[in-house]
Amino acid sequence: MVYRALRLATASLSGAVFSLGAPALPAQAGQPTAARLVACGADSCLRLSGHRSSPSVSVQVNGRDLPVEGERAWQVTVPLSTARTWAIAHGYSVILTLVDAQAGTGHSVAVALPPGSLGTRLELASLIVRAH
């Protein structure tokens, strides 16, 4: 019974909007890359945002270019069904690669994902509730 209540609470929290920062790229110090859940029609989407040195720098996940909006300050909004196909690094993060084809360079950054956004469940061994 407690597990079911916890699971329902976790599911309702995963629908909320969270914004978590990830480490910034060395060239973009002070400019965090972030991920958050947003509503997109009847569904939920994952919005990634950050900064890049030039609009010609592409943003990739798993070697595939993402449809970026914006110039140096960019954002990408993808349905959760698409985001769930991405490889997830331990610690609930996705690895974004910023590729500058002109310079022949690329930088990777781990972006922390909102808890529960990609459907992973966490089972607790115990739960302590205190009331004062």
Side-chain angles (χ1 to χ4, degrees), residues 10 12-20 35-38 47 113-116:
T10 303
S12 67
L13 283 176
S14 69
V17 176
F18 292 90
S19 180
L20 299 173
R36 65 184 175 135
L37 291 175
V38 295
R47 177 165 293 153
L113 297 172

Side-chain angles (χ1 to χ4, degrees), residues 32-81:
T33 303
R36 65 184 175 135
L37 291 175
V38 295
C40 55
D43 296 322
S44 293
C45 290
L46 183 65
R47 177 165 293 153
L48 303 166
S49 60
H51 290 79
R52 55 190 173 171
S53 59
S54 163
S56 65
V57 172
S58 64
V59 180
Q60 298 180 348
V61 170
N62 297 338
R64 293 189 175 137
D65 286 342
L66 296 177
V68 176
E69 298 172 11
E71 299 291 320
R72 289 181 181 229
W74 58 267
Q75 72 177 17
V76 173
T77 304
V78 295
L80 283 181
S81 58

